[in-house]
Amino acid sequence: QVQLQESGPGLVKPSQTLSLTCTVSGGSIGSGSYYWSWIRQPAGKGLEWIGRIYTSGSTSYNPSLESRVTISVDTSKNQFSLKLSSVTAADTAVYYCARDAGDCDFDYWGQGTLVTVSS
Amino acid sequence: QSALTQPASVSGSPGQSITISCTGTSSDVGGYNYVSWYQQHPGKAPKLMIYDVSNRPSGVSNRFSGSKSGNTASLTISGLQAEDEADYYCSSYTSSSTSVFGGGTKLTVL
């Protein structure tokens, strides 16, 4: 059973960089034809896809966030990471990591982690 | 990319059927058979209910079904149960090789 777990600071100051890591267990992040995605959800609002990475390192990002987002993968640690720069209060949200089975089918999700942007 | 369009809310009585629509464009919903649906209960992570328009993952009740016509996909829940009360989101692959979600629909079981 694949499990994902997000980790990282719960509070980030405006203009700084938000950094989160997703640790995958129950399977190798490098096996199979899977993408690994980040998705966020502001309180009381809908889901927003941030971006994805393939184990080869190829990435795809939401055009509205692309200039501020970097997603990377560390297969040796079975982890992938999110960096979002120049954050504002609008970036306050629950951040989820998820496995994408290939066609935007997010079949496994982490429990989510709340990141608040505030001074 | 613009979010897919879903009704803000739908409701139904136990035992009834309801349908939630998800409207996009020919660059996403209409262009690919890569629409999925997610159920989210308060405080929980979303759960995949339908993938590739009409396929159910193992363990998902056959009361949930999906379909697509043109640029609009639909999720139908038959035999409504109290436990079905949740938020539902659609998502689609896009021509830019990205993913886009709908705004979400709150299902109330009366």
Side-chain angles (χ1 to χ4, degrees), chain A residues 39 41 45-49 52 60-63 96 100 103-107 109-111, chain B residues 1 34 36 38 40 44-46 48 51-52 89 91-93 96-99 101-103:
Chain A
I39 295 157
Q41 184 173 37
K45 297 188 177 181
L47 301 169
E48 181 180 33
W49 180 78
R52 74 165 61 90
S60 178
Y61 299 129
N62 186 324
Y96 294 100
D100 177 352
D103 300 325
C104 302
D105 304 324
F106 306 106
D107 57 354
W109 295 66
Q111 64 185 26
Chain B
Q1 57 192 26
Y34 299 144
S36 51
Y38 302 86
Q40 186 180 35
K44 301 294 187 182
L48 178 65
Y51 68 96
D52 294 354
Y89 295 89
S91 75
S92 175
Y93 181 77
S96 302
S97 299
T98 62
S99 299
F101 283 98

Side-chain angles (χ1 to χ4, degrees), chain A residues 7-31:
Chain A
S7 59
L11 180 64
V12 181
K13 288 181 167 50
S15 81
Q16 293 191 341
T17 296
L18 178 160
S19 296
L20 294 174
T21 295
C22 182
T23 300
V24 179
S25 59
S28 171
I29 200 171
S31 66

Side-chain angles (χ1 to χ4, degrees), chain A residues 5-78:
Chain A
Q5 178 68 59
E6 305 90 351
S7 59
L11 180 64
V12 181
K13 288 181 167 50
S15 81
Q16 293 191 341
T17 296
L18 178 160
S19 296
L20 294 174
T21 295
C22 182
T23 300
V24 179
S25 59
S28 171
I29 200 171
S31 66
S33 300
Y34 299 114
Y35 292 79
W36 304 90
S37 279
W38 287 96
I39 295 157
R40 70 181 183 178
Q41 184 173 37
K45 297 188 177 181
L47 301 169
E48 181 180 33
W49 180 78
I50 299 170
R52 74 165 61 90
I53 190 165
Y54 194 58
T55 49
S56 65
S58 65
T59 54
S60 178
Y61 299 129
N62 186 324
S64 68
L65 299 170
E66 187 165 15
S67 63
R68 299 193 292 129
V69 174
T70 302
I71 296 176
S72 59
V73 65
D74 187 336
T75 54
S76 67
K77 294 182 179 180
N78 233 29

Side-chain angles (χ1 to χ4, degrees), chain B residues 10-31:
Chain B
V10 298
S11 62
S13 299
Q16 289 185 331
S17 295
I18 63 94
T19 297
I20 299 171
S21 61
C22 170
T23 301
T25 69
S26 58
S27 296
D28 38 63
V29 174

